[in-house]
Amino acid sequence: MMQPAWLTLSHFVMLGLLFGFAIVHSGGAFLRPWAEKHIGSRLYRIFFALTSLPVAVYLIIYFFNHRYDGLQLWYVQNVPGVQQFVWVLSAISFLFLYPATFNLLEIAAIQKPEVHLYETGIIRITRHPQMVGQIIWCIAHTLWLGTSFTLVTSIGLVLHHLFGVWHGDRRLSDRYGEAFVQVKQRTSIMPFAAVLDGRQCIVWQEFFRPAYLGVAVFVLLLWWSHPLLLEFTSKI
């Protein structure tokens, strides 16, 4: 059976890269308790970053350079309002992806990295904001690009983050026990589900944090530098 001409090698390479990143990232998270016990939390964080970041950067570059590979499933870039809609979705996705920005000193291992059990801010909306943010990002970019390569990439990313939901809950349960069970009962994976059924309420004051300003500035910089970023990655 002949392979369709549109099913380029890049589709399979991207799936392989995503699988490799999942092993490095989720595997590193799984090994965290053992690693922190033997080498300390700061050194673990450095090793985790040194293994995860290069793979993530390569993934981004590969995606940019092959985003139009494969079959063009739809094309809506010339439809009025679509570009603005995609940018709004992308900005919202980063608001859900924000939690890491709250502890930059821990990420850089300047402060001792900790595992936090949050139940405030965006966690009231969803217990797994990074998963929700990734899904929104994938919807926006798949809509804009409309290629089979982008669709395959988005499916792989979403599957990885859905696994991360299970894996993250499992690790928090192992670490915090009954305290996490209570947080789990008061929060939801589906956005706003816990708010709608009365288990949570939105406290708007919790969203007035410098990190949100940082996210807004990042989105504006990304919007400004996007053409430059595409040009730069095309030369790699």
Coordinates of all heavy atoms in Angstrom, one line a residue, residues 19-79:
F19 N 6.9 12.4 21.5 CA 7.1 11.3 22.4 C 8.3 11.3 23.2 O 8.3 11.1 24.4 CB 7.0 10.0 21.6 CG 7.1 8.7 22.4 CD1 5.9 8.4 23.2 CD2 8.2 7.9 22.4 CE1 5.9 7.2 23.9 CE2 8.2 6.7 23.2 CZ 7.1 6.4 24.0
G20 N 9.4 11.8 22.6 CA 10.7 11.9 23.3 C 10.6 13.0 24.3 O 11.1 12.9 25.5
F21 N 9.9 14.1 24.0 CA 9.8 15.2 25.0 C 8.9 14.7 26.2 O 9.2 15.1 27.3 CB 9.1 16.4 24.3 CG 8.9 17.5 25.3 CD1 9.9 18.3 25.8 CD2 7.6 17.8 25.7 CE1 9.7 19.3 26.7 CE2 7.4 18.9 26.6 CZ 8.4 19.6 27.1
A22 N 7.9 13.9 25.9 CA 7.0 13.4 26.9 C 7.8 12.5 27.9 O 7.6 12.6 29.1 CB 5.8 12.6 26.3
I23 N 8.7 11.7 27.3 CA 9.5 10.9 28.2 C 10.4 11.7 29.1 O 10.6 11.5 30.3 CB 10.3 9.9 27.3 CG1 9.4 8.9 26.6 CG2 11.4 9.1 28.1 CD1 10.1 7.9 25.7
V24 N 11.1 12.7 28.4 CA 12.0 13.5 29.2 C 11.3 14.3 30.2 O 11.7 14.4 31.4 CB 12.8 14.4 28.2 CG1 13.6 15.5 29.0 CG2 13.7 13.6 27.3
H25 N 10.2 15.0 29.8 CA 9.5 15.9 30.8 C 8.8 15.2 31.8 O 9.0 15.4 33.0 CB 8.6 16.8 29.9 CG 8.1 18.0 30.7 ND1 6.9 18.0 31.4 CD2 8.6 19.2 30.9 CE1 6.7 19.1 32.0 NE2 7.7 19.9 31.7
S26 N 7.9 14.3 31.4 CA 7.1 13.5 32.4 C 8.0 12.5 33.2 O 7.8 12.3 34.4 CB 6.0 12.8 31.7 OG 5.1 13.7 31.1
G27 N 9.0 12.0 32.5 CA 9.9 11.1 33.2 C 10.7 11.8 34.3 O 10.9 11.3 35.4
G28 N 11.1 13.0 33.9 CA 11.8 13.9 34.9 C 11.0 14.2 36.1 O 11.5 14.2 37.2
A29 N 9.7 14.5 35.8 CA 8.8 14.8 36.9 C 8.6 13.6 37.8 O 8.5 13.7 39.0 CB 7.5 15.3 36.4
F30 N 8.5 12.4 37.2 CA 8.3 11.2 37.9 C 9.5 10.9 38.9 O 9.3 10.5 40.0 CB 8.1 10.0 37.0 CG 8.1 8.7 37.6 CD1 6.9 8.3 38.3 CD2 9.2 7.9 37.6 CE1 6.9 7.0 38.9 CE2 9.1 6.6 38.2 CZ 8.0 6.2 38.9
L31 N 10.7 11.2 38.4 CA 11.9 11.0 39.1 C 12.2 12.0 40.2 O 13.2 11.9 40.9 CB 13.1 10.8 38.2 CG 13.1 9.6 37.3 CD1 14.2 9.7 36.3 CD2 13.2 8.3 38.1
R32 N 11.4 13.1 40.2 CA 11.7 14.2 41.1 C 11.9 13.8 42.6 O 12.9 14.2 43.2 CB 10.6 15.3 41.0 CG 10.9 16.5 41.8 CD 9.9 17.6 41.6 NE 10.3 18.8 42.4 CZ 9.7 20.0 42.2 NH1 8.8 20.2 41.2 NH2 10.1 21.1 42.9
P33 N 11.0 13.1 43.2 CA 11.2 12.8 44.6 C 12.5 12.0 44.9 O 13.2 12.3 45.8 CB 10.0 11.9 44.9 CG 8.9 12.3 43.9 CD 9.7 12.6 42.7
W34 N 12.8 11.0 44.0 CA 14.0 10.3 44.1 C 15.3 11.2 43.9 O 16.2 11.1 44.7 CB 14.1 9.1 43.1 CG 15.3 8.3 43.2 CD1 15.6 7.3 44.0 CD2 16.5 8.6 42.4 NE1 16.9 6.8 43.7 CE2 17.5 7.6 42.8 CE3 16.9 9.5 41.4 CZ2 18.7 7.5 42.2 CZ3 18.1 9.5 40.8 CH2 19.0 8.5 41.2
A35 N 15.2 12.0 42.9 CA 16.3 12.9 42.5 C 16.6 13.9 43.6 O 17.7 14.2 44.0 CB 16.1 13.6 41.2
E36 N 15.5 14.6 44.1 CA 15.7 15.6 45.2 C 16.3 15.0 46.4 O 17.0 15.6 47.2 CB 14.4 16.2 45.5 CG 13.9 17.2 44.4 CD 12.6 17.9 44.7 OE1 11.9 17.5 45.6 OE2 12.4 19.0 44.1
K37 N 15.9 13.7 46.7 CA 16.4 13.0 47.9 C 17.9 12.8 47.8 O 18.7 12.9 48.8 CB 15.7 11.7 48.1 CG 16.2 10.9 49.3 CD 15.4 9.6 49.5 CE 15.9 8.8 50.7 NZ 15.1 7.5 50.8
H38 N 18.4 12.5 46.6 CA 19.8 12.1 46.4 C 20.7 13.3 46.0 O 21.9 13.3 46.3 CB 19.9 11.0 45.3 CG 19.4 9.7 45.8 ND1 18.1 9.3 45.8 CD2 20.0 8.6 46.4 CE1 17.9 8.1 46.3 NE2 19.1 7.7 46.7
I39 N 20.2 14.2 45.2 CA 21.1 15.3 44.7 C 20.6 16.7 45.2 O 21.3 17.7 44.9 CB 21.3 15.3 43.2 CG1 19.9 15.5 42.5 CG2 21.8 13.9 42.8 CD1 20.0 15.6 41.0
G40 N 19.4 16.8 45.8 CA 18.9 18.1 46.2 C 18.0 18.7 45.1 O 18.1 18.4 44.0
S41 N 17.1 19.6 45.6 CA 16.1 20.1 44.7 C 16.7 21.1 43.7 O 16.2 21.1 42.5 CB 15.0 20.8 45.5 OG 15.6 21.8 46.4
R42 N 17.7 21.9 44.1 CA 18.3 22.8 43.1 C 19.0 22.1 42.0 O 18.8 22.5 40.8 CB 19.2 23.8 43.9 CG 18.5 24.9 44.7 CD 19.5 25.9 45.2 NE 18.8 27.0 45.9 CZ 18.5 27.1 47.1 NH1 18.8 26.0 47.9 NH2 17.9 28.1 47.6
L43 N 19.8 21.2 42.3 CA 20.6 20.5 41.3 C 19.6 19.7 40.4 O 19.8 19.6 39.2 CB 21.6 19.5 41.9 CG 22.6 18.9 41.0 CD1 23.4 20.0 40.2 CD2 23.6 18.1 41.8
Y44 N 18.6 19.1 41.0 CA 17.5 18.4 40.2 C 16.9 19.4 39.2 O 16.8 19.0 38.0 CB 16.4 17.8 41.1 CG 15.2 17.6 40.3 CD1 15.1 16.5 39.4 CD2 14.1 18.5 40.3 CE1 13.9 16.3 38.7 CE2 13.0 18.3 39.6 CZ 12.8 17.2 38.8 OH 11.7 17.0 38.0
R45 N 16.6 20.6 39.6 CA 16.0 21.6 38.8 C 16.9 21.9 37.6 O 16.4 22.1 36.5 CB 15.6 22.8 39.6 CG 15.1 24.0 38.7 CD 13.7 23.7 38.1 NE 12.7 23.7 39.2 CZ 11.4 23.5 39.0 NH1 11.0 23.2 37.7 NH2 10.5 23.5 39.9
I46 N 18.2 22.0 37.9 CA 19.1 22.4 36.8 C 19.2 21.2 35.8 O 19.1 21.5 34.6 CB 20.5 22.6 37.4 CG1 20.5 23.9 38.2 CG2 21.6 22.7 36.3 CD1 21.7 24.2 39.0
F47 N 19.3 20.0 36.2 CA 19.3 18.8 35.3 C 18.0 18.7 34.5 O 18.0 18.4 33.3 CB 19.5 17.6 36.1 CG 21.0 17.3 36.5 CD1 21.4 17.0 37.8 CD2 22.0 17.4 35.5 CE1 22.7 16.8 38.1 CE2 23.3 17.2 35.8 CZ 23.7 16.9 37.1
F48 N 16.9 19.0 35.2 CA 15.6 18.9 34.5 C 15.5 20.0 33.4 O 15.1 19.7 32.3 CB 14.5 19.2 35.5 CG 13.1 19.0 35.0 CD1 12.5 17.8 34.7 CD2 12.3 20.2 34.7 CE1 11.3 17.7 34.2 CE2 11.1 20.1 34.2 CZ 10.5 18.8 33.9
A49 N 16.0 21.2 33.7 CA 16.0 22.2 32.7 C 16.9 21.9 31.5 O 16.6 22.1 30.4 CB 16.3 23.6 33.3
L50 N 18.1 21.4 31.9 CA 19.1 21.1 30.8 C 18.7 20.0 29.9 O 19.1 19.9 28.8 CB 20.4 20.8 31.5 CG 21.2 21.9 32.1 CD1 22.4 21.4 32.8 CD2 21.5 23.0 31.1
T51 N 17.8 19.1 30.4 CA 17.3 18.1 29.5 C 16.0 18.5 28.8 O 15.8 18.1 27.6 CB 17.0 16.8 30.3 OG1 16.2 17.1 31.4 CG2 18.3 16.2 30.8
S52 N 15.1 19.2 29.5 CA 13.8 19.5 28.9 C 13.9 20.7 27.9 O 13.2 20.6 26.8 CB 12.8 19.8 30.0 OG 12.5 18.7 30.8
L53 N 14.6 21.7 28.3 CA 14.6 22.9 27.4 C 15.1 22.7 26.0 O 14.5 23.2 25.1 CB 15.3 24.1 28.1 CG 14.6 24.7 29.3 CD1 15.4 25.8 30.0 CD2 13.2 25.3 28.9
P54 N 16.3 22.0 25.8 CA 16.8 21.8 24.5 C 15.8 21.1 23.6 O 15.6 21.4 22.4 CB 18.1 21.0 24.7 CG 18.5 21.4 26.1 CD 17.2 21.5 26.9
V55 N 15.1 20.1 24.2 CA 14.1 19.3 23.4 C 12.9 20.2 23.0 O 12.4 20.2 21.9 CB 13.6 18.1 24.1 CG1 12.6 17.3 23.3 CG2 14.8 17.2 24.5
A56 N 12.5 21.0 24.0 CA 11.4 21.9 23.7 C 11.7 23.0 22.6 O 10.9 23.2 21.8 CB 11.0 22.6 25.0
V57 N 12.9 23.5 22.7 CA 13.3 24.5 21.7 C 13.4 23.9 20.3 O 13.0 24.5 19.3 CB 14.7 25.1 22.1 CG1 15.3 25.9 21.0 CG2 14.6 26.0 23.4
Y58 N 14.0 22.7 20.3 CA 14.0 22.0 19.0 C 12.6 21.7 18.4 O 12.4 21.8 17.2 CB 14.8 20.7 19.1 CG 15.1 20.0 17.8 CD1 16.2 20.5 17.0 CD2 14.3 19.0 17.3 CE1 16.4 19.9 15.7 CE2 14.6 18.4 16.1 CZ 15.6 18.9 15.3 OH 15.8 18.3 14.1
L59 N 11.7 21.3 19.3 CA 10.3 21.1 18.9 C 9.7 22.3 18.3 O 9.1 22.3 17.2 CB 9.5 20.7 20.1 CG 9.3 19.2 20.4 CD1 8.7 18.9 21.7 CD2 8.5 18.5 19.3
I60 N 9.9 23.5 18.9 CA 9.4 24.7 18.4 C 9.9 25.1 17.1 O 9.2 25.4 16.1 CB 9.6 25.8 19.5 CG1 8.8 25.6 20.7 CG2 9.2 27.2 18.9 CD1 9.2 26.5 21.9
I61 N 11.3 24.9 16.9 CA 11.9 25.3 15.7 C 11.4 24.3 14.6 O 11.1 24.8 13.5 CB 13.4 25.2 15.8 CG1 14.0 26.3 16.8 CG2 14.1 25.3 14.5 CD1 15.4 26.1 17.1
Y62 N 11.3 23.0 14.9 CA 10.9 22.1 13.9 C 9.4 22.4 13.5 O 9.1 22.3 12.3 CB 11.0 20.6 14.4 CG 10.9 19.6 13.4 CD1 12.0 19.2 12.6 CD2 9.7 19.0 13.1 CE1 11.9 18.3 11.6 CE2 9.5 18.0 12.1 CZ 10.7 17.7 11.4 OH 10.6 16.7 10.4
F63 N 8.6 22.7 14.4 CA 7.2 23.0 14.1 C 7.1 24.3 13.2 O 6.4 24.2 12.2 CB 6.4 23.3 15.4 CG 5.0 23.8 15.1 CD1 4.0 23.0 14.7 CD2 4.7 25.1 15.3 CE1 2.8 23.4 14.4 CE2 3.5 25.6 15.1 CZ 2.5 24.8 14.6
F64 N 7.9 25.3 13.5 CA 7.8 26.5 12.7 C 8.3 26.2 11.3 O 7.7 26.7 10.3 CB 8.7 27.6 13.3 CG 8.1 28.3 14.4 CD1 8.9 29.1 15.3 CD2 6.8 28.3 14.7 CE1 8.4 29.8 16.3 CE2 6.2 29.0 15.7 CZ 7.0 29.8 16.6
N65 N 9.3 25.4 11.1 CA 9.8 25.1 9.8 C 9.0 24.2 9.0 O 9.2 24.0 7.8 CB 11.3 24.6 9.9 CG 12.2 25.7 10.4 OD1 11.9 26.9 10.3 ND2 13.4 25.3 10.9
H66 N 8.1 23.4 9.6 CA 7.3 22.4 8.9 C 5.8 22.6 9.0 O 5.0 21.7 8.6 CB 7.7 21.0 9.3 CG 9.1 20.6 9.0 ND1 9.5 20.0 7.8 CD2 10.3 20.8 9.8 CE1 10.8 19.8 7.8 NE2 11.3 20.2 9.0
R67 N 5.4 23.8 9.5 CA 4.0 24.0 9.8 C 3.1 23.8 8.6 O 1.9 23.6 8.8 CB 3.8 25.3 10.5 CG 4.2 26.5 9.7 CD 4.3 27.8 10.5 NE 4.5 29.0 9.7 CZ 5.6 29.4 9.3 NH1 6.7 28.6 9.5 NH2 5.7 30.5 8.6
Y68 N 3.6 24.1 7.5 CA 2.7 24.0 6.3 C 2.9 22.7 5.5 O 2.5 22.5 4.4 CB 3.0 25.2 5.3 CG 2.4 26.5 5.8 CD1 3.2 27.5 6.3 CD2 1.0 26.6 5.9 CE1 2.6 28.7 6.8 CE2 0.4 27.8 6.3 CZ 1.2 28.8 6.8 OH 0.7 30.0 7.3
D69 N 3.6 21.7 6.1 CA 3.7 20.4 5.5 C 2.4 19.6 5.4 O 1.5 19.9 6.3 CB 4.8 19.5 6.3 CG 6.2 20.0 6.1 OD1 6.4 21.0 5.4 OD2 7.1 19.3 6.6
G70 N 2.3 18.7 4.5 CA 1.2 17.8 4.4 C 0.0 18.4 3.7 O 0.1 19.3 2.8
L71 N -1.2 17.9 4.0 CA -2.4 18.3 3.3 C -3.0 19.6 3.9 O -3.0 19.8 5.1 CB -3.4 17.2 3.5 CG -4.7 17.2 2.7 CD1 -4.4 17.2 1.2 CD2 -5.6 16.1 3.1
Q72 N -3.4 20.5 3.0 CA -4.1 21.7 3.5 C -5.5 21.4 3.7 O -6.3 21.3 2.7 CB -3.9 22.8 2.5 CG -4.4 24.2 2.9 CD -3.5 24.8 4.0 OE1 -2.3 24.9 3.7 NE2 -4.0 25.3 5.0
L73 N -5.9 21.2 4.9 CA -7.3 20.7 5.2 C -8.3 21.9 5.1 O -9.5 21.6 4.7 CB -7.3 20.2 6.7 CG -6.4 19.0 6.9 CD1 -6.3 18.7 8.4 CD2 -6.8 17.8 6.1
W74 N -7.9 23.1 5.4 CA -8.8 24.2 5.3 C -7.8 25.5 5.2 O -6.7 25.4 5.6 CB -9.8 24.4 6.4 CG -9.2 24.4 7.8 CD1 -8.6 25.5 8.4 CD2 -9.1 23.4 8.7 NE1 -8.1 25.2 9.6 CE2 -8.4 23.8 9.8 CE3 -9.5 22.0 8.6 CZ2 -8.2 23.0 10.9 CZ3 -9.2 21.2 9.7 CH2 -8.6 21.7 10.9
Y75 N -8.4 26.6 4.7 CA -7.6 27.8 4.7 C -8.5 29.0 5.0 O -9.4 29.3 4.2 CB -7.0 28.0 3.3 CG -6.0 29.2 3.2 CD1 -4.7 29.0 3.6 CD2 -6.4 30.4 2.8 CE1 -3.8 30.1 3.6 CE2 -5.5 31.5 2.7 CZ -4.2 31.3 3.1 OH -3.3 32.4 3.1
V76 N -8.3 29.6 6.1 CA -9.2 30.6 6.6 C -8.4 31.9 6.9 O -9.0 32.9 7.5 CB -10.0 30.2 7.8 CG1 -10.9 29.0 7.5 CG2 -9.1 29.8 9.0
Q77 N -7.2 32.0 6.5 CA -6.3 33.1 6.9 C -6.8 34.4 6.2 O -6.5 35.5 6.6 CB -4.9 32.9 6.5 CG -4.2 31.8 7.3 CD -2.8 31.6 7.1 OE1 -2.1 32.4 6.4 NE2 -2.2 30.5 7.6
N78 N -7.6 34.3 5.1 CA -8.1 35.5 4.4 C -9.5 35.8 4.8 O -10.1 36.7 4.3 CB -8.1 35.3 2.9 CG -8.8 34.0 2.4 OD1 -9.3 33.2 3.3 ND2 -8.9 33.8 1.1
V79 N -10.0 35.1 5.8 CA -11.4 35.4 6.3 C -11.3 36.5 7.3 O -10.5 36.4 8.3 CB -12.0 34.1 6.9 CG1 -13.4 34.4 7.5 CG2 -12.1 33.0 5.9

